Amino acid sequence: MATFVLIPGGGCDSSYWRPLVAELRERGHEAVRVDLPCEDDAAGLAEYADAAVEQIGDRTDLIVVAHSLGGFTGPLVCERVPVDLLVMLTAMPPSPGEAPGEWWTATGHDQAMREAAGRHGPPEEDHGFDPVFYHDVPAELVAEVEKHPRGQSGTPMKEPWPLPAWPRVPTKFLLCRGDRLFPAEFMRRVVRERLGIVPDEIDGGHMVMLSRPAELADRLVAYARHNRPEAGAPRTTSPSP
């Protein structure tokens, strides 16, 4: 049995992981929905990692799943506790010394968004929520998530990512083909340039844990199974620094 450590994106309450947690438990695994101090102006990247490590406690057989802005926190956790696998789920892969607020310009995100504009037709008006994040999420799930609004402090956005290189942990990147915040072609390039690996892909938008929790759970469980080697066999190779 693996324990999936679910690290949220910016300004997110951990409740948005609930459908995925239910699916993982049905498949015989455990999960920790990490709450980050995202509204605390005194909390930066180090405090985000502290919060995650504290909530992990003494659990073992860990697979860290970092979503969106959580991509800056997930690798820090892997430096602090023994982790079997890091899964970057449509996440922001940082470079050493880069602050999260610098990531957008450094990766060319604005240009990618301009190139992707118009591919999705007119904005949906089905439930009045942001179509960039929730275009493929059932309205009732969007409404449930919106009951738990969180703000995002700017403090961690200004802090350089402190690691000198990617942690020595097996890493997978899972992008979402329908992601409107991080278009697929853009993320394929960023992942290749920054992690030196080819990302895996899944259907769905940025909030795939809400729109396709069963499919996401199947993919994560398959990662856990594949990453558990026979005695003496090497684990999956981690990205190049």
Side-chain angles (χ1 to χ4, degrees), residues 142-193:
V142 179
E144 181 61 31
V145 169
E146 291 294 316
K147 292 179 182 177
H148 309 280
R150 298 287 298 276
Q152 175 59 59
S153 168
T155 298
M157 304 303 174
K158 306 169 186 176
E159 294 189 353
W161 193 62
L163 298 186
W166 200 258
R168 296 187 64 81
V169 59
T171 300
K172 293 284 189 180
F173 195 103
L174 183 58
L175 67 78
C176 299
R177 299 186 189 97
D179 195 332
R180 297 186 180 183
L181 180 64
F182 297 148
E185 192 60 34
F186 163 74
M187 289 310 298
R188 292 183 189 111
R189 173 181 61 79
V190 170
V191 172
R192 181 181 66 250
E193 291 175 353

Side-chain angles (χ1 to χ4, degrees), residues 207-222:
M207 306 301 280
V208 66
M209 68 291 295
L210 292 171
S211 63
R212 297 172 179 266
E215 293 175 43
L216 179 55
D218 285 342
R219 186 67 67 96
L220 294 176
V221 169

Side-chain angles (χ1 to χ4, degrees), residues 165-166 193-197 237-241:
W166 200 258
E193 291 175 353
R194 295 194 164 210
L195 299 181
I197 60 177
T237 303
S238 58
S240 302

